[in-house]
Amino acid sequence: MKKNMIHIISATALALSVSSVAHAQSVADSAGRTSDLYRNSLQTQMDREVDLRDSNAGVGTYLDQNMISGGGNTISLGVEGAYKLLDQVTIGGSIQAPLNTNLPGEYSAKGSQGPSIGAYSKYQENQDGTGFGAKLSGAYGQQKLGVKAYDQTGQTRLYGYGVQAQTGYGFEQYGVLVTPYVGVSYTNMKQNSFSSQDVSVGKFSEERTSMQFGVKADYRIDPIFKVDADAGLHANLSTHRHGFNATYASDRYSYGVGDDKAQPYINVGVTADFDKQSSVRLSGGAAQQSYDNTAGVVDLSYQYRF
């Protein structure tokens, strides 16, 4: 009887140990997917701009949904604007707030998220997009998070910001505006450490600097409709990470998640012009992320130029 009891206790301890390891891995995967989801949202905001064409200023509003493989998405509403300082120099920015947030696995959004903001300055040699061009942009956002670990819920906060610089040269070929470009980008995503009763989770973060290589193509089908595409990749230059670390009932779990592979991306869109001043654009895209996830975005925007 005593021997059987020892076997039962040993089997129970082993089952609990396996269960604890599996749960820690699940929380670590959710942390990575959450970081990738917000990182893609920041990248989308850094890429935004108002298409002024031959106007001096413009404003717009947009609705976008960012998604991550394995589950999780955010739906945000934003406004944007731009002003032409000189014939060849434009400044602009955007601000957006979430309408609905569903985070991966053990993660959840807590409280109201502060708006994320983006800004850019751009030089373009010619108004039609041909010739030399350069753009400097950045974005910042944060979100309070709830994390369920071992039937206990703790709270932390995610911060993220990024900057990127791009330069390219546009030329027209067979009616298509083609713009090869190169750039450098830096993103920093950080989730603070937190503790709840006998569970503690350490800081989870990633700083990534990469070279960007891509090409854009724009083609006007007729006076109303225009289609565009943008494809390229981020080639890693340097990465600094704090991997996932958790302690539960004196047991410690660590996972060095993340990889340094090149991250390809693609975006396509279609624009409908109501007149010279106003247009609507529908676009979508996908991008490989740091923690072996694929992020997607769908965006619907309206812009007015004056």
Side-chain angles (χ1 to χ4, degrees):
M1 181 68 177
K2 184 176 181 181
K3 187 175 182 180
N4 289 338
M5 183 62 72
I6 292 174
H7 286 164
I8 292 172
I9 293 173
S10 299
T12 301
L14 178 60
L16 288 173
S17 176
V18 172
S19 175
S20 295
V21 170
H23 185 76
Q25 179 68 68
S26 178
V27 177
D29 290 342
S30 296
R33 290 201 302 273
T34 299
S35 180
D36 280 347
L37 177 64
Y38 280 99
R39 183 171 177 265
N40 188 66
S41 181
L42 281 180
Q43 183 65 52
T44 301
Q45 197 161 10
M46 285 194 290
D47 291 338
R48 298 204 73 89
E49 60 182 78
V50 177
D51 185 10
L52 291 183
R53 303 180 191 179
D54 58 357
S55 300
N56 291 321
V59 294
T61 183
Y62 60 89
L63 181 70
D64 73 16
Q65 179 178 25
N66 277 271
M67 302 157 284
I68 196 72
S69 57
N73 66 85
T74 63
I75 299 175
S76 301
L77 179 66
V79 293
E80 57 188 341
Y83 179 74
K84 192 172 289 185
L85 291 176
L86 303 169
D87 286 343
Q88 298 168 318
V89 179
T90 301
I91 58 172
S94 62
I95 182 168
Q96 67 184 42
L99 298 178
N100 186 60
T101 303
N102 296 297
L103 297 183
E106 290 79 5
Y107 275 65
S108 60
K110 292 291 184 182
S112 59
Q113 175 186 347
S116 58
I117 57 174
Y120 70 91
S121 61
K122 181 181 179 180
Y123 171 87
Q124 183 60 53
E125 184 177 357
N126 301 309
Q127 289 183 356
D128 63 0
T130 60
F132 176 77
K135 180 182 178 182
L136 177 65
S137 61
Y140 170 83
Q142 61 173 303
Q143 170 68 61
K144 189 176 183 180
L145 304 173
V147 185
K148 186 175 182 181
Y150 306 101
D151 297 323
Q152 299 175 28
T153 301
Q155 292 190 2
T156 182
R157 187 172 291 276
L158 180 146
Y159 300 88
Y161 64 90
V163 293
Q164 69 177 12
Q166 294 176 340
T167 183
Y169 189 89
F171 60 93
E172 191 169 321
Q173 188 74 22
Y174 303 110
V176 180
L177 176 62
V178 180
T179 309
Y181 61 90
V182 296
V184 178
S185 65
Y186 169 83
T187 55
N188 188 327
M189 305 300 298
K190 182 178 72 172
Q191 298 176 35
N192 288 341
S193 61
F194 69 91
S195 60
S196 175
Q197 298 179 28
D198 54 352
V199 174
S200 64
V201 176
K203 182 176 72 171
F204 183 81
S205 65
E206 180 197 59
E207 293 181 72
R208 185 183 181 97
T209 304
S210 60
M211 284 290 296
Q212 188 179 16
F213 303 91
V215 60
K216 299 177 183 178
D218 295 79
Y219 176 71
R220 180 161 290 282
I221 300 172
D222 57 34
I224 296 178
F225 293 102
K226 182 183 76 168
V227 293
D228 61 85
D230 178 10
L233 60 83
H234 290 271
N236 183 58
L237 293 178
S238 67
T239 305
H240 301 284
R241 294 189 181 95
H242 284 276
F244 180 83
N245 293 283
T247 302
Y248 171 61
S250 75
D251 293 325
R252 185 174 179 82
Y253 307 94
S254 299
Y255 297 96
V257 294
D259 61 62
D260 300 325
K261 296 183 295 186
Q263 299 172 352
Y265 59 87
I266 185 169
N267 297 282
V268 294
V270 58
T271 302
D273 292 332
F274 296 125
D275 49 43
K276 286 191 64 176
Q277 280 72 45
S278 59
S279 59
V280 170
R281 183 172 185 267
L282 176 64
S283 63
Q288 187 69 28
Q289 299 295 325
S290 294
Y291 296 103
D292 202 24
N293 299 299
T294 300
V297 62
V298 178
D299 184 278
L300 177 63
S301 65
Y302 170 80
Q303 294 183 351
Y304 183 83
R305 295 166 287 277
F306 49 89

